[in-house]
Amino acid sequence: MKSLQTKIFLFFVLLLLLVQSIALWTLIKGNNAQEQQEISNRLTTAKTIFTEQFNSRRDYLAAFAETAAKDYGIKDVFEDDTRSLLFALNNHRKRINADLAMAISANGNITAQLQVSHLDNAKTKVQKGSELGSQFKHTDWLESQEKSHLYMLDGTLYQLSLSPLSVGTSTIGWLAFGFEINQTLATHFLEITRLEVDFILNQNNQWLLIASSNPDADINFAKNIVNGQTPEQYIAIGELITEFDDQQFGLAMYGLRADIVKLLQEQWWQFLILTFITLLLSLTSAYIIAASITKPIKRLVKQAKMIARGDYQQKIELKDSSELGQLADEFNLMQQAVLTREQEITHRANHDPLTELPNRNILVKTLNQCISNKTSFQLFHLNLSRLKDVNETLGHDVGDWLIQRTADRLKKLSQFTLLCHLGGDEFILLFEKKEKHSITELVKNINTALEAHCDYGGINLQLQVRIGISSFPEHSNVDKTLLQMADTALQNARKNNKNYQCYDKSLDVNSVERLNLINDLKHAISDNQLELHYQPKLDLKTNVVTHAEALVRWYHPTLGMIPPDSFIHIAEQTGQINSLTRWVVATAFSQSATWRKDNIDINVAVNISAENLKEPDFYEFICNTLTANKVPANKVTLEVTESAVVDNPESAIMLLQRFKDTGIKISIDDYGTGYSSLAQLKQLPVHELKIDKSFVQHLHEDEDDRIIVRSTIELAHNMGLSVVSEGIEDDFALRWLAKQGCELGQGYFISRPKPTNDFTAWIKKQEVLSVEKG
Ligand code: C2E
Ligand code: CA
Ligand code: CA
């Protein structure tokens, strides 16, 4: 209902219906008047036709009789030879097919008379007339100028014409020819006018029916019509022709009113059917017109939808010179304009306006493409040195100019997959990894490309870059991480004043994963994601587990178990280590109390960070926790790395001293990895050294390690310190260390760190064993 096509179509339909109904109404109104008109027309036409034909018959007869009277042949035989006269007369009669021919002598005697009788089988017969030899009845006709008469002979009425036959100035007689007024004539008029025709004649005040097309003709009926009286159910016209001497000749033409009305109604129906057909045709064409008008509009609508969908390829072609055609052209122009604008916008969105080089968007796309295609590559993060100085001293125009020169020169490098300008002084070059391209060679190519001096209005400027490099797949398979890594390497190169630096894990102080972990770590304690595992320390003399180290584990909701190496330093750098250590201490001490209740006598060690030593109330916290859990001070060990103490010795030493005074054991963790001298260590208030696992793990095969460990144990003993070795991974290390007099041993060979319950179960089994041994 809403579509334009339907609207146009409905408009046409209404218009057509309106026009047709007006026409129909007018017609119905006019129909009645027309019927009357039609009838009277018909009647007058019929009468006119009759009069015309009847008169022309008369004129024809008169002209012919005159012509025949001039014939010398007839004149020659006129007075003497009856036989020859009849013969000549018949010849003339035949020429016009007259029904009656007569010759009348000068004294009024009928000298020849030929009468044609019409037989039933449509044949005719010519015979001598019955009046032959007798006197002509109407002698007055002979002298009058009147040429046409009605002549009755033996009950047959003729239309007759007379013409005198003259020789010189004297009239020798007359010739007469006649046409019969009969049923044939009546039928002839019926056929033309479709009205019955009666001929009547008044003779001696007596009306006679001469002939009729109607077999049931009635003289009274005909007489009434001639007198102008028509019965209701008929239409009729009558005429009294009195021009023939004193005779009255009547003509009645009539038909049933119902017949003619029927005829008119048939026409009326024909008209209605015609109207209906035209209506149908008009409606069909209206539908077609409506469809043809809306078809281009529909195409335009479709096109508009396509443009909206972002399909700019298909053009609309309308072979139409109307406004719609113009609209289609405008559509195409608009489509082109939108496409161009969109391309411009896309270009702008993907390119740096200063250098017209691809920007970060393209970079990220390309990186992801390479990563998903598993195309290994090297990502070079270039930083133009001293741009800030140029901007500050020579102005930003020069800075921009310099950036453009750098872009131009880098473009000339051939091997890269992508060159991007991230803005400012930062460029990225992506190299697909190929055998022949070593990193040093690529760096050399870059330096060579930028080597030549730039001349800016007489000022010599040098282009120098620092480069940070990361690789896929070696370093990461995440685009952002790779960019971050290259950036980290770049910062490192800058810090160490190097031309380039390849990424290495050790450079990483700010990785993305790290950033995420920093956030997540905030909730780790409150969300109960931390857990302590315990690793036993074995008394190497007695083979009894007397100590255990608490090692924290982080069960991250999405990343799973995160080892402490991955988050402890984050906690340290983001100020979260305080709460973490407090949680560990509280948990470990409370566990220690539980064990004590369970008759498990064990010294629990917790790891303390350098940061913890700076907390003003750390000492109080430890003591309070001890008291709260009723754990004796000598049943806890604090493991502190040597660097934690050496980096801020005074306060740290004071604090450690206080702990020592309380009875808490202090252990120097990771001993051997720092650079502190034993002389320094001598100052420290500690009980034991914990030799780092890197020296212990390979004792079996490494002579040097054995020397280091042996001497360390010796020196420690000399200083009055006991020794713990961590990282015992085999039987050899265990026995060898025991032999060297090392007091405690820790390592996977003895036990991996275990969750609390497992550890408790394990330790109970050990006790049974040692009791059995004892
Ligand atoms: P660490 O204090 O030197 O702890 C010993 C580490 O060596 C533990 O790693 C332990 O699982 C591992 N280890 C023990 N025996 C062996 C062995 O035979 N072979 C090898 N290859 N490794 C062995 P873990 O648990 O991953 O802890 C790593 C580091 O995280 C610890 O080194 C410590 O520095 C830190 N850490 C752990 N828990 C805490 C904590 O609660 N507080 C603080 N501040 N640091 C902690
Ligand atoms: Ca430790
Ligand atoms: Ca250690």
Side-chain angles (χ1 to χ4, degrees):
M1 219 23 211
K2 275 180 191 157
S3 88
L4 186 59
Q5 182 175 347
T6 324
K7 279 182 185 162
I8 294 174
F9 180 60
L10 281 181
F11 171 76
F12 273 119
V13 169
L14 288 177
L15 195 68
L16 278 167
L17 286 179
L18 189 72
V19 170
Q20 295 269 25
S21 24
I22 290 174
L24 215 63
W25 182 71
T26 325
L27 272 168
I28 290 170
K29 263 202 85 183
N31 192 37
N32 292 332
Q34 191 210 356
E35 194 177 300
Q36 212 42 56
Q37 183 69 37
E38 188 79 7
I39 288 167
S40 93
N41 273 355
R42 210 145 158 186
L43 292 173
T44 37
T45 313
K47 200 175 108 186
T48 314
I49 289 171
F50 173 80
T51 320
E52 288 289 320
Q53 293 218 353
F54 197 72
N55 287 346
S56 68
R57 236 163 81 122
R58 176 198 65 199
D59 297 344
Y60 183 53
L61 268 177
F64 179 72
E66 218 167 290
T67 318
K70 283 178 187 148
D71 180 27
Y72 286 101
I74 270 254
K75 282 181 190 171
D76 284 349
V77 295
F78 192 73
E79 285 183 319
D80 40 71
D81 192 343
T82 310
R83 230 185 98 81
S84 306
L85 178 62
L86 278 176
F87 195 75
L89 193 65
N90 194 37
N91 275 347
H92 278 290
R93 184 204 62 80
K94 271 199 274 187
R95 277 165 59 195
I96 55 163
N97 212 5
D99 297 310
L100 179 67
M102 282 194 290
I104 302 163
S105 66
N107 54 15
N109 200 14
I110 298 174
T111 52
Q113 188 173 47
L114 288 170
Q115 195 178 8
V116 177
S117 40
H118 295 268
L119 303 175
D120 284 347
N121 52 5
K123 282 190 179 155
T124 52
K125 197 176 108 192
V126 184
Q127 62 196 59
K128 283 181 200 161
S130 61
E131 291 175 335
L132 187 65
S134 52
Q135 199 65 27
F136 185 60
K137 283 175 281 188
H138 307 285
T139 37
D140 51 326
W141 292 2
L142 301 174
E143 300 310 321
S144 84
Q145 291 301 309
E146 195 82 52
K147 282 183 183 144
S148 201
H149 309 276
L150 287 176
Y151 186 71
M152 187 70 110
L153 173 63
D154 297 340
T156 306
L157 187 68
Y158 294 94
Q159 207 178 353
L160 191 80
S161 202
L162 276 165
S163 185
L165 201 74
S166 333
V167 175
T169 50
S170 61
T171 302
I172 59 165
W174 291 268
L175 283 183
F177 293 94
F179 287 133
E180 202 180 323
I181 295 176
N182 56 11
Q183 196 201 346
T184 315
L185 185 66
T187 313
H188 169 71
F189 283 117
L190 168 69
E191 275 161 10
I192 296 174
T193 60
R194 301 182 77 187
L195 291 172
E196 299 285 0
V197 178
D198 291 355
F199 298 120
I200 55 172
L201 186 75
N202 190 349
Q203 237 179 8
N204 311 323
N205 280 331
Q206 179 81 40
W207 281 100
L208 294 176
L209 180 69
I210 300 298
S212 172
S213 57
N214 181 5
D216 304 325
D218 175 51
I219 179 66
N220 289 324
F221 179 80
K223 200 171 73 187
N224 285 343
I225 288 174
V226 171
N227 289 333
Q229 294 162 2
T230 311
E232 184 65 32
Q233 65 270 46
Y234 286 90
I235 59 155
I237 190 158
E239 174 86 335
L240 197 60
I241 305 166
T242 51
E243 67 194 77
F244 302 108
D245 315 306
D246 48 1
Q247 286 173 310
Q248 282 187 316
F249 177 66
L251 163 76
M253 301 178 95
Y254 56 89
L256 273 172
R257 183 178 286 273
D259 285 349
I260 188 150
V261 168
K262 199 175 128 205
L263 206 74
L264 281 172
Q265 265 169 358
E266 258 166 34
Q267 283 175 3
W268 178 242
W269 272 114
Q270 277 170 8
F271 173 78
L272 275 187
I273 289 168
L274 215 67
T275 309
F276 183 70
I277 290 171
T278 28
L279 187 69
L280 268 187
L281 283 176
S282 311
L283 288 183
T284 317
S285 33
Y287 182 81
I288 293 169
I289 290 171
S292 75
I293 290 177
T294 50
K295 195 176 156 200
I297 296 178
K298 279 181 188 160
R299 286 188 58 193
L300 286 170
V301 169
K302 203 174 136 202
Q303 184 75 359
K305 281 184 183 159
M306 263 162 53
I307 295 176
R309 252 187 278 121
D311 181 351
Y312 303 111
Q313 296 316 314
Q314 232 148 299
K315 288 255 149 81
I316 184 166
E317 267 179 47
L318 274 190
K319 288 192 183 64
D320 193 329
S321 56
S322 73
E323 287 85 343
L324 287 175
Q326 291 173 21
L327 188 59
D329 291 344
E330 290 302 321
F331 251 77
N332 288 335
L333 287 178
M334 179 183 82
Q335 186 172 330
Q336 191 54 46
V338 171
L339 176 63
T340 319
R341 281 245 295 280
E342 199 164 278
Q343 279 169 345
E344 253 168 47
I345 291 169
T346 321
H347 180 84
R348 259 306 115 250
N350 290 323
H351 292 82
D352 182 274
L354 184 62
T355 55
E356 289 297 332
L357 284 176
N359 63 12
R360 191 179 288 274
N361 290 342
I362 299 262
L363 174 64
V364 170
K365 253 183 238 161
T366 316
L367 285 179
N368 284 318
Q369 245 165 35
C370 289
I371 290 169
S372 60
N373 294 343
K374 301 212 161 42
T375 316
S376 43
F377 59 82
Q378 261 132 7
L379 192 147
F380 280 49
H381 190 160
L382 275 66
N383 185 261
L384 193 56
S385 311
R386 293 192 305 272
L387 185 71
K388 201 170 159 245
D389 296 343
V390 173
N391 279 338
E392 276 168 8
T393 53
L394 300 171
H396 283 268
D397 287 351
V398 187
D400 287 352
W401 181 83
L402 219 55
I403 290 167
Q404 284 167 337
R405 294 295 75 72
T406 312
D408 290 345
R409 291 188 183 182
L410 289 177
K411 270 186 224 168
K412 288 192 185 119
L413 287 167
S414 52
Q415 316 96 323
F416 62 82
T417 309
L418 182 72
L419 167 62
C420 282
H421 182 199
L422 299 187
D425 51 5
E426 312 224 22
F427 292 88
I428 297 276
L429 270 166
L430 213 65
F431 293 101
E432 229 171 80
K433 254 187 244 167
K434 284 176 191 153
E435 287 289 312
K436 50 182 177 171
H437 298 150
S438 69
I439 286 186
T440 39
E441 208 177 317
L442 291 171
V443 169
K444 208 178 113 202
N445 289 346
I446 294 173
N447 288 332
T448 316
L450 300 175
E451 200 171 45
H453 285 203
C454 290
D455 183 70
Y456 186 88
I459 307 170
N460 247 345
L461 295 164
Q462 214 192 341
L463 297 176
Q464 246 180 20
V465 286
R466 289 191 200 287
I467 308 169
I469 304 164
S470 63
S471 303
F472 167 79
E474 290 84 346
H475 293 143
S476 169
N477 53 8
V478 181
D479 55 341
K480 285 199 185 99
T481 315
L482 282 163
L483 284 167
Q484 184 81 47
M485 286 167 166
D487 189 55
T488 306
L490 176 66
Q491 303 315 324
N492 189 271
R494 202 185 272 153
K495 200 166 91 191
N496 298 320
N497 208 12
K498 282 159 77 179
N499 176 217
Y500 75 96
Q501 171 71 53
C502 291
Y503 172 78
D504 183 273
K505 225 179 164 180
S506 62
L507 304 176
D508 216 348
V509 274
N510 256 325
S511 74
V512 178
E513 282 118 329
R514 222 177 92 93
L515 289 175
N516 287 335
L517 285 184
I518 290 173
N519 273 328
D520 297 349
L521 191 58
K522 288 177 192 157
H523 314 288
I525 296 175
S526 57
D527 290 357
N528 239 347
Q529 292 168 6
L530 297 181
E531 199 181 291
L532 285 184
H533 284 195
Y534 295 92
Q535 190 178 30
K537 296 179 189 168
L538 188 70
D539 185 322
L540 296 181
K541 254 184 219 141
T542 61
N543 257 344
V544 177
V545 174
T546 50
H547 293 69
E549 181 180 0
L551 294 160
V552 74
R553 299 287 178 265
W554 180 9
Y555 291 92
H556 191 277
T558 53
L559 299 173
M561 204 279 279
I562 302 175
D565 277 335
S566 304
F567 68 88
I568 290 297
H569 58 279
I570 297 177
E572 285 171 346
Q573 284 163 10
T574 57
Q576 299 182 71
I577 193 67
N578 296 350
S579 49
L580 189 136
T581 304
R582 284 176 192 226
W583 180 86
V584 172
V585 167
T587 313
F589 287 8
S590 140
Q591 185 57 46
S592 169
T594 312
W595 281 328
R596 298 195 75 70
K597 280 181 203 138
D598 209 5
N599 272 334
I600 299 170
D601 179 20
I602 211 151
N603 178 297
V604 177
V606 288
N607 291 282
I608 303 298
S609 285
E611 293 303 307
N612 298 131
L613 300 181
K614 296 174 191 162
E615 292 171 54
D617 64 340
F618 189 63
Y619 172 77
E620 281 74 25
F621 167 74
I622 296 284
C623 293
N624 289 344
T625 317
L626 273 180
T627 328
N629 288 291
K630 299 199 183 93
V631 175
N634 65 350
K635 289 296 171 191
V636 279
T637 306
L638 302 183
E639 294 191 10
V640 192
T641 57
E642 51 173 312
S643 58
V645 189
V646 172
D647 282 353
N648 62 18
E650 268 175 44
S651 59
I653 290 167
M654 261 169 60
L655 182 60
L656 291 184
Q657 189 60 55
R658 288 176 77 189
F659 280 127
K660 197 178 173 188
D661 294 346
T662 321
I664 293 172
K665 262 178 92 179
I666 308 290
S667 179
I668 296 294
D669 207 351
D670 299 345
Y671 180 76
T673 55
Y675 300 98
S676 49
S677 61
L678 266 175
Q680 270 175 308
L681 283 182
K682 229 173 158 178
Q683 317 286 316
L684 297 180
V686 294
H687 297 96
E688 69 178 19
L689 288 188
K690 200 171 177 187
I691 300 177
D692 189 72
K693 55 180 171 284
S694 56
F695 299 103
V696 181
Q697 278 163 324
H698 312 287
L699 280 176
H700 184 55
E701 61 266 43
D702 199 325
E703 165 91 70
D704 289 350
D705 283 351
R706 288 201 290 271
I707 294 169
I708 293 169
V709 172
R710 188 190 295 132
S711 53
T712 307
I713 294 172
E714 248 172 58
L715 281 168
H717 285 165
N718 285 346
M719 291 197 302
L721 304 175
S722 65
V723 177
V724 188
S725 294
E726 62 176 15
I728 300 174
E729 293 184 353
D730 51 33
D731 190 42
F732 176 85
L734 186 68
R735 286 170 196 279
W736 189 86
L737 285 164
K739 222 169 106 190
Q740 302 309 316
C742 176
E743 279 80 7
L744 292 172
Q746 180 182 359
Y748 290 170
F749 185 68
I750 299 155
S751 165
R752 285 186 177 256
K754 284 178 161 44
T756 316
N757 290 341
D758 293 1
F759 180 83
T760 311
W762 184 87
I763 201 90
K764 278 182 176 166
K765 225 165 83 190
Q766 293 294 313
E767 272 173 6
V768 173
L769 282 176
S770 65
V771 167
E772 276 171 3
K773 266 193 207 162

